[in-house]
Amino acid sequence: MSDLYLRSVELSNFRIYGDSYAFELPDGPGVTLITGANGLGKTSFFDGVEWALTNQVSRFQDIPTDARRKQLDPLTRIGATANSHRVSLQFSDGDPIDRGAGFVPDERAIAALLKRPEWGEIANLHGYLSITHFLGQAATQRFSLRKPEKQWEALKGPAGVDRINALRERMSGLGVRRAFTRALEDRTKKLGEASEALAAWTSLLAERDRARQLSSSDEAVPPAALRNAIELAGAQVLRLVPDMDWSLPEPSTPSEALLEALAELLRAIEQRSVADTEAVNALAKIAADFDAAGAETQALRSRADEIEQRRAAAVEKLAEADALLLRVTANLAATERQAAQAKARTLILTRMRAALRQLEDAQSRRGDAAEQLEHSQSELGRIEVSIAALREGLARATAQRADRRALADRVTLARRRAEISGKLTSTRAEIDRLTPLIASRQAADPRAQREAMVGRETATQTFIGRINADLRAHDDRALAISEAVSVIAHRLRHNDVTCPVCASEFPPGRLAALATQQRAADARPASQLAEALADARLESEGLRRQILDVERAIAELEQLQASMATLRAREQNLRQQLVEAGGSANGVYDQSETLFLEQELVETDAKLAASDTPEKIDVQLKEAEAVLKAELMKRGTLQQSRDSADEDVEVAGTTLRQHAEIWTDEMGLLVDLDNEKAAIESQLSDLSSRISVERAAADEARLAWDSQREAEFRETEAQTASNARLDSLANTRSALVKRWMDAGQSGEPDTARVSQRRARIKERSAQLEQVRATQQQLVAGYRKWMSDERLRRLETRTAEIMRNESAASDIDVLRLLESRVKEARRELEFTQRARDRIDTVGGQLLQRADSYADDVLAPLNATIQRFARTLMTWADASIIYRAEHHVTRSELRPGIVRSEADGSVTQLEMNPNLYFSEGQLSALSVAALLAASTTFGWSRWRGLLLDDPLQHNDVIHASAFMDLLRQMVRQLDYQVILSTHDSSEAEFLGRKCRSAGIPYFVHELVPQGESGLISNVA
């Protein structure tokens, strides 16, 4: 079957297109370029082809919409009837493909038309076309920039991997795995139930066999004998404990309850015996504690008398030691007071001596400070006179420099006025040149001409439509007449002479001959209508060319008017600048004023060079001010020194005046400080010796007092402890007597009475042991009797199970249950083996999918790299694709391959969008499309639809791109349709195609208004 080519595309009310806008395309290899400004419908053309083939528009799929609000259909042209958009495609083979406005094409028929006969069924035609035919303008539409899962969805169809993945899904998909999981759970549950039934039957047989071994009638006690024996045992117990409240249960009471009642009675008696034993033990302890407390009380009373005698002697000795300590302490305190007074006198003399020295030093410093202050005052006056002179010189120098700057500004403004005046003169000359040119163009009134031509062209189109309608009506009428004549001719015979339509008379045979001749005639449109239609179409085409010429003239006029507006604005701006430069808006200025001011500026600079600069004067002024500041700081320091000396004189005088017996303002020092100090030091020496002797005596007296106080304290504590213990023993004996009486006894605690009571409890316990032995015999006998009953119940249950299982013996039941366990285990093992086999097959299919994907992706990657080397300036890096298969999904993982300088190749695990520039990504997207188109030969249509493929590329890459397209058209017979908004780029592409000698066509889109577009095919 031959290759397929797109012949025509008709768009009606689709996006920006009006009614029945047609693109006529050459049905063979070649390049078709769609040009036009942005917003004129280039991308909408590619959207229309994609929508007609797949019922999808890729660039609209990821745009979020609010389903809660009713929105306009983005495919219907604004202003057109809702849902009136339609796209019609005509290929070189097959029927037209119409979609929209009520037409719904057969998806399978479209896929069958496009695919090659040997290719399998296509489930997702959009995915196939998006990877091998279409390159969208938006980055998200390009294959290399899509998400990995969407890349895989697009690639798996043309690559053929989807058939293996479908088989994987059927063999080891999630549903199959869940089904096997449920089957394994059911088989496991069945095996567990069968095993439990077998274990229960085995346990039942074992329990029955044990019951048979224990079954015996010897020593068995039936219920009636059991009740009589329990009644006798109960009466015997009640005789031993008459106050026990117990009665034999009712005759209907079960045997187990009777045994429990007797056991409860014996437990109550045992508890009573334990309580009585504990009570006797408590009484024995009370009696023993009472006897021990009495013996200890007798011993403590004899010791208390001895302690009282020793304490009286210790109190008398303590009083004597206390009197001695008071006497010695008083003598020591008096001597220490005398020593303190002498030390205070010595301290006063020391302070007086220091105050005298401070007074003399302060008076000397005050005199020196006063002399230095007088010298500082004269130096300050000299410095202030020098600073005033420097400030006057600085002001004079600063004023001279300010005058110089003003003169320089005048020179700058004069130069600026001369420059602006020159520009303004040239601008006005250009305005004068353009004014008559614009006036001549406006006189022709091109806009009125365009409106008149548009009206004529509209009338011509109306006339063409009317002629087409007349032609269709003429054809319909001629066809109807022909059919009527044919019907009449079939019914006429040679002898018919009357016309069945108009009743006219004809000779025999003439009427039949005329009908046959009219039936054979060809029904064609009237020649006059056809000639008028051709003339109208020629006139319409001529009017369109004239409209384009007029629109070109209008554009030139608008450009001249824009230039004039720019010149007028520039003139106004220059006039404003002239005013800002100090001139008149209409004045003319030359360089004469500038030369005069520049000479004056040179003379001023010469004068300034001969005088000191303000900077130099400022440095001298700062030095003088620094000297002044230092002198002021020095003067402040001297004043502080003088004030400090005055304060020291006052402080020393105050200290000396506090002791008038030693010093006065009038007489000065009244005593000899050295002699006074020597006498006081001699007195202090004598007092120190006395203090040492008296302090030793006081320490000795204090030690004696402490010893006596400790002895008295010990005896007092011993007496207190003895009395406290006696009180405690008395309380203990009283408490023991109370506890004895509370226990139901009389008098004081007595150990003999306790021994008698313990003997009675032992005797009762011995008799109860006999009753307990009888109770155990009854329990054993009743259990033997019960074993016979349990055996009968087990036999009954075993027989019931055998009847339910239809078995003759218990061995048959056992074999039946074992066979069920084996069958359940066999089914579980079979299911597990099937599950393992499915996993093995799934793994093999996964390996097959990996190897199949590698077989497909290896040539694809190699082809991408070959195309990338042609399209990219630096071809050391490219995109590669690897397939990653998971349990429930597969992904296409992109990577980067780099060629190093040494010839080695490395792979980078990085998203290509983060590595390559926008221009490189654009080139790689084109390379991926061309590689997929040439690698996956699934379609008869060898077509490439490229929406602005050069938007991120320079002229070098555009040239490489066109060289590549020329080869694909010339060598591989491709039909290439691409778009651009750049007229220079379109011209460049045209020259490349014409130089290569390949078919090249241009379809230009021009604006038409609200009702559609008009195209010119070159």
Side-chain angles (χ1 to χ4, degrees):
M1 186 175 292
S2 62
D3 290 338
L4 192 69
Y5 294 97
L6 183 60
R7 176 180 295 171
S8 65
V9 178
E10 181 182 353
L11 302 100
S12 294
N13 294 327
F14 185 85
R15 301 288 288 167
I16 195 172
Y17 292 98
D19 186 24
S20 299
Y21 188 94
F23 285 85
E24 297 297 333
L25 304 173
D27 55 352
V31 176
T32 299
L33 179 63
I34 301 175
T35 66
N38 290 331
L40 290 183
K42 298 186 299 299
T43 300
S44 295
F45 167 79
F46 296 103
D47 292 341
V49 176
E50 181 184 12
W51 180 71
L53 292 175
T54 66
N55 196 26
Q56 299 182 47
V57 179
S58 299
R59 64 189 184 100
F60 293 164
Q61 291 180 351
D62 295 332
I63 299 178
T65 57
D66 190 353
R68 298 172 298 178
R69 298 180 180 180
K70 184 177 180 180
Q71 298 180 347
L72 297 176
D73 191 337
L75 301 183
T76 303
R77 180 175 58 83
I78 301 298
T81 306
N83 297 322
S84 63
H85 59 279
R86 179 181 63 85
V87 178
S88 176
L89 306 181
Q90 177 64 61
F91 284 89
S92 59
D93 186 13
D95 296 330
I97 299 174
D98 289 315
R99 187 182 297 275
F103 293 96
V104 180
D106 186 357
E107 306 290 344
R108 294 184 178 181
I110 297 175
L113 174 65
L114 296 180
K115 76 179 186 68
R116 294 190 179 277
E118 65 273 12
W119 197 267
E121 182 180 355
I122 295 178
N124 181 13
L125 181 61
H126 181 267
Y128 278 67
L129 293 173
S130 65
I131 191 176
T132 59
H133 286 72
F134 288 101
L135 178 70
Q137 182 179 6
T140 55
Q141 293 179 257
R142 302 189 174 185
F143 177 76
S144 61
L145 304 182
R146 299 178 192 172
K147 295 180 179 180
E149 59 272 16
K150 292 188 177 181
Q151 288 178 336
W152 178 257
E153 286 299 321
L155 180 64
K156 68 181 183 180
V161 185
D162 52 350
R163 293 187 290 274
I164 297 179
N165 286 338
L167 183 59
R168 284 180 55 208
E169 180 65 23
R170 289 193 294 268
M171 291 296 296
S172 59
L174 184 60
V176 176
R177 299 177 67 87
R178 287 178 176 174
F180 270 101
T181 301
R182 290 193 297 269
L184 286 174
E185 292 175 353
D186 295 341
R187 303 300 191 276
T188 304
K189 181 179 180 182
K190 182 177 179 180
L191 177 59
E193 293 174 350
S195 300
E196 290 177 0
L198 178 60
W201 177 253
T202 305
S203 176
L204 177 62
L205 294 181
E207 188 177 1
R208 185 198 63 181
D209 294 340
R210 285 195 300 273
R212 285 178 176 177
Q213 294 176 0
L214 295 175
S215 176
S216 176
S217 299
D218 296 339
E219 300 180 357
V221 179
L226 180 65
R227 182 176 181 83
N228 294 332
I230 289 175
E231 183 176 358
L232 293 176
Q236 183 178 358
V237 171
L238 292 177
R239 285 196 297 273
L240 294 175
V241 188
D243 58 346
M244 179 63 66
D245 185 12
W246 186 83
S247 60
L248 189 66
E250 296 295 329
S252 60
T253 302
S255 301
E256 291 83 355
L258 291 176
L259 289 172
E260 182 61 27
L262 179 59
E264 183 66 27
L265 175 61
L266 292 176
R267 283 194 294 271
I269 297 300
E270 289 177 356
Q271 293 175 359
R272 173 74 65 83
S273 298
V274 170
D276 292 344
T277 302
E278 291 176 353
V280 169
N281 293 336
L283 291 175
K285 188 174 185 307
I286 292 172
D289 292 343
F290 185 79
D291 294 341
E296 186 177 0
T297 300
Q298 293 297 328
L300 285 175
R301 284 176 178 171
S302 61
R303 287 180 56 194
D305 295 339
E306 297 176 359
I307 294 171
E308 180 61 28
Q309 294 175 1
R310 291 197 303 271
R311 181 180 177 281
V315 169
E316 184 178 355
K317 291 180 180 180
L318 179 62
E320 295 175 355
D322 193 19
L324 177 61
L325 179 61
L326 290 174
R327 192 165 54 253
V328 173
T329 304
N331 294 336
L332 177 61
T335 304
E336 288 178 345
R337 283 195 297 274
Q338 292 177 7
Q341 292 173 359
K343 290 179 180 179
R345 184 66 175 176
T346 301
L347 182 60
I348 291 172
L349 293 176
T350 302
R351 291 175 58 198
M352 293 297 290
R353 187 183 300 277
L356 285 172
R357 286 197 298 271
Q358 182 180 7
L359 179 62
E360 293 173 356
D361 180 66
Q363 290 174 349
S364 175
R365 287 189 287 109
R366 183 168 58 182
D368 295 339
E371 182 180 355
Q372 293 179 10
L373 283 172
E374 292 178 0
H375 179 270
S376 176
Q377 184 64 36
S378 62
E379 185 67 19
L380 284 174
R382 183 186 64 79
I383 295 172
E384 288 175 351
V385 171
S386 176
I387 289 174
L390 289 172
R391 287 177 177 169
E392 183 179 355
L394 178 62
R396 187 167 52 254
T398 303
Q400 292 175 353
R401 266 67 181 178
D403 293 340
R404 195 267 176 199
R405 285 194 296 273
L407 182 58
D409 292 341
R410 290 173 60 194
V411 172
T412 302
L413 290 175
R415 291 173 181 169
R416 179 65 176 160
R417 286 195 294 272
E419 179 185 357
I420 296 173
S421 181
K423 293 181 180 179
L424 187 59
T425 300
S426 62
T427 300
R428 286 170 176 169
E430 183 67 16
I431 291 175
D432 294 339
R433 186 184 68 82
L434 292 180
T435 300
L437 184 61
I438 293 175
S440 63
R441 297 291 180 89
Q442 288 178 340
D445 196 3
R447 291 185 176 85
Q449 293 179 8
R450 181 184 180 281
E451 291 178 359
M453 291 179 182
V454 169
R456 290 172 58 193
E457 200 277 337
T458 302
T460 302
Q461 290 293 333
T462 303
F463 180 66
I464 290 172
R466 187 165 60 253
I467 291 176
N468 284 328
D470 292 343
L471 286 173
R472 285 193 293 270
H474 185 277
D475 291 343
D476 294 341
R477 185 168 58 255
L479 180 62
I481 293 173
S482 175
E483 291 177 351
V485 170
S486 177
V487 171
I488 294 172
H490 280 294
R491 295 181 179 178
L492 289 176
R493 298 293 182 265
H494 180 76
N495 296 326
D496 291 334
V497 295
T498 303
C499 178
V501 177
C502 59
S504 300
E505 296 293 334
F506 292 90
R510 180 60 178 169
L511 184 60
L514 290 175
T516 303
Q517 181 181 359
Q518 183 64 32
R519 185 181 61 182
D522 185 12
R524 295 180 180 177
S527 60
Q528 294 180 353
L529 290 176
E531 292 176 357
L533 178 61
D535 294 340
R537 286 179 176 176
L538 290 175
E539 182 181 2
S540 176
E541 186 65 25
L543 287 173
R544 288 182 183 179
R545 291 192 179 92
Q546 293 177 14
I547 290 173
L548 288 177
D549 295 337
V550 172
E551 287 179 346
R552 193 175 297 110
I554 292 173
E556 292 176 355
L557 176 60
E558 291 176 348
Q559 185 175 2
L560 290 174
Q561 291 174 341
S563 299
M564 176 63 78
T566 303
L567 291 173
R568 293 291 186 187
R570 184 181 179 185
E571 179 189 17
Q572 184 63 28
N573 186 29
L574 290 173
R575 295 181 65 187
Q576 180 66 28
Q577 293 179 12
L578 193 59
V579 173
E580 292 174 355
S584 174
N586 297 319
V588 178
Y589 300 91
D590 55 12
Q591 298 293 334
S592 59
E593 183 183 4
T594 304
L595 296 175
F596 175 76
L597 292 175
E598 287 177 348
Q599 181 63 31
E600 186 178 352
L601 181 62
V602 170
E603 295 174 356
T604 303
D605 289 340
K607 293 178 182 179
L608 291 177
S611 61
D612 290 338
T613 63
E615 290 78 10
K616 183 177 180 181
I617 299 174
D618 185 60
V619 171
Q620 296 174 356
L621 178 60
K622 290 181 179 178
E623 291 176 353
E625 289 176 346
V627 174
L628 177 62
K629 184 176 180 182
E631 192 63 32
L632 289 174
M633 293 178 63
K634 178 181 178 182
R635 181 175 178 81
T637 303
L638 291 174
Q639 289 177 350
Q640 292 178 359
S641 177
R642 185 185 63 183
D643 295 341
S644 176
D646 292 340
E647 290 178 0
D648 291 345
V649 169
E650 183 63 27
V651 170
T654 302
T655 303
L656 293 172
R657 293 187 196 97
Q658 292 178 356
H659 303 283
E661 75 279 4
I662 300 176
W663 186 90
T664 61
D665 292 334
E666 297 79 7
M667 300 180 64
L669 191 62
L670 302 178
V671 298
D672 187 352
L673 295 179
D674 294 335
N675 293 335
E676 185 73 15
K677 185 175 181 181
I680 292 174
E681 289 178 353
S682 176
Q683 181 184 2
L684 282 174
S685 178
D686 295 340
L687 291 174
S688 178
S689 300
R690 286 176 56 192
I691 288 173
S692 298
V693 174
E694 291 176 354
R695 187 169 290 160
D699 291 340
E700 185 179 354
R702 186 175 289 107
L703 289 174
W705 185 86
D706 290 340
S707 177
Q708 294 301 324
R709 180 72 181 88
E710 184 177 357
E712 187 270 340
F713 182 74
R714 286 197 303 270
E715 295 302 332
T716 300
E717 281 189 340
Q719 185 181 30
T720 301
S722 178
N723 292 335
R725 180 60 180 163
L726 287 172
D727 294 341
S728 175
L729 290 172
N731 293 332
T732 299
R733 286 169 61 85
S734 298
L736 291 173
V737 171
K738 184 177 182 307
R739 288 171 58 193
W740 176 269
M741 298 182 69
D742 290 343
Q745 306 299 319
S746 59
E748 294 184 348
D750 186 1
T751 55
R753 294 167 62 185
V754 172
S755 299
Q756 293 176 0
R757 188 170 179 181
R758 181 175 284 118
R760 288 197 298 271
I761 291 173
K762 288 182 179 180
E763 181 180 359
R764 186 179 63 189
S765 297
Q767 294 178 0
L768 284 175
E769 284 297 327
Q770 297 177 1
V771 178
R772 188 174 292 106
T774 301
Q775 186 255 352
Q776 293 177 355
Q777 291 176 358
L778 291 175
V779 170
Y782 182 70
R783 285 179 178 174
K784 291 183 179 180
W785 184 84
M786 284 295 296
S787 296
D788 296 340
E789 290 295 320
R790 184 164 174 269
L791 177 60
R792 285 192 293 273
R793 289 196 299 272
L794 292 174
E795 293 286 0
T796 302
R797 185 178 177 188
T798 303
E800 182 180 358
I801 293 175
M802 292 171 60
R803 285 195 304 272
N804 293 337
E805 296 294 343
S806 301
S809 63
D810 52 3
I811 299 299
D812 294 338
V813 175
L814 182 62
R815 292 173 178 171
L816 178 61
L817 294 177
E818 288 176 346
S819 64
R820 289 178 181 174
V821 171
K822 291 179 181 178
E823 179 64 20
R825 184 177 291 110
R826 186 187 62 79
E827 292 178 357
L828 178 60
E829 291 175 352
F830 176 78
T831 305
Q832 185 63 48
R833 286 195 301 272
R835 169 71 176 273
D836 296 340
R837 180 58 181 167
I838 287 296
D839 292 340
T840 302
V841 173
Q844 294 174 352
L845 288 175
L846 178 60
Q847 294 176 359
R848 176 57 180 160
D850 288 336
S851 61
Y852 192 84
D854 291 340
D855 294 341
V856 171
L857 293 178
L860 176 63
N861 291 328
T863 308
I864 291 176
Q865 294 178 39
R866 287 196 297 272
F867 281 116
R869 282 194 293 270
T870 303
L871 294 174
M872 298 176 63
T873 303
W874 302 102
D876 58 345
S878 180
I879 292 179
I880 62 171
Y881 294 97
R882 300 188 307 275
E884 290 187 358
H885 301 283
H886 305 278
V887 175
T888 59
R889 59 186 174 87
S890 298
E891 289 185 356
L892 196 66
R893 185 63 57 186
I896 302 170
V897 59
R898 282 177 51 88
S899 299
E900 305 296 341
D902 58 357
S904 61
V905 177
T906 59
Q907 292 186 10
L908 300 179
E909 293 298 332
M910 181 184 294
N911 190 323
N913 297 328
L914 304 177
Y915 181 83
F916 294 105
S917 67
E918 285 296 329
Q920 290 175 318
L921 289 174
S922 177
L924 288 172
S925 297
V926 173
L929 175 69
L930 299 181
S933 180
T934 55
T935 301
F936 305 132
W938 65 273
S939 176
R940 296 171 52 210
W941 180 28
R942 305 180 69 82
L944 293 175
L945 282 77
L946 313 175
D947 186 9
D948 202 358
L950 299 178
Q951 57 180 328
H952 295 292
N953 290 276
D954 52 22
V955 65
I956 297 176
H957 295 89
S959 178
F961 172 73
M962 280 308 302
D963 290 340
L964 193 58
L965 286 187
R966 290 190 307 180
Q967 294 298 324
M968 297 193 70
V969 172
R970 188 159 47 194
Q971 302 297 332
L972 302 178
D973 296 334
Y974 266 84
Q975 180 185 29
V976 180
I977 305 173
L978 69 158
S979 67
T980 181
H981 65 279
D982 191 341
S983 58
S984 60
E985 184 178 277
E987 179 62 26
F988 172 75
L989 297 178
R991 288 198 304 270
K992 296 286 288 186
C993 291
R994 285 191 293 270
S995 64
I998 63 174
Y1000 177 71
F1001 307 91
V1002 176
H1003 193 107
E1004 183 180 3
L1005 300 175
V1006 295
Q1008 174 61 24
E1010 296 183 355
S1011 57
L1013 300 173
I1014 294 178
S1015 64
N1016 291 321
V1017 180

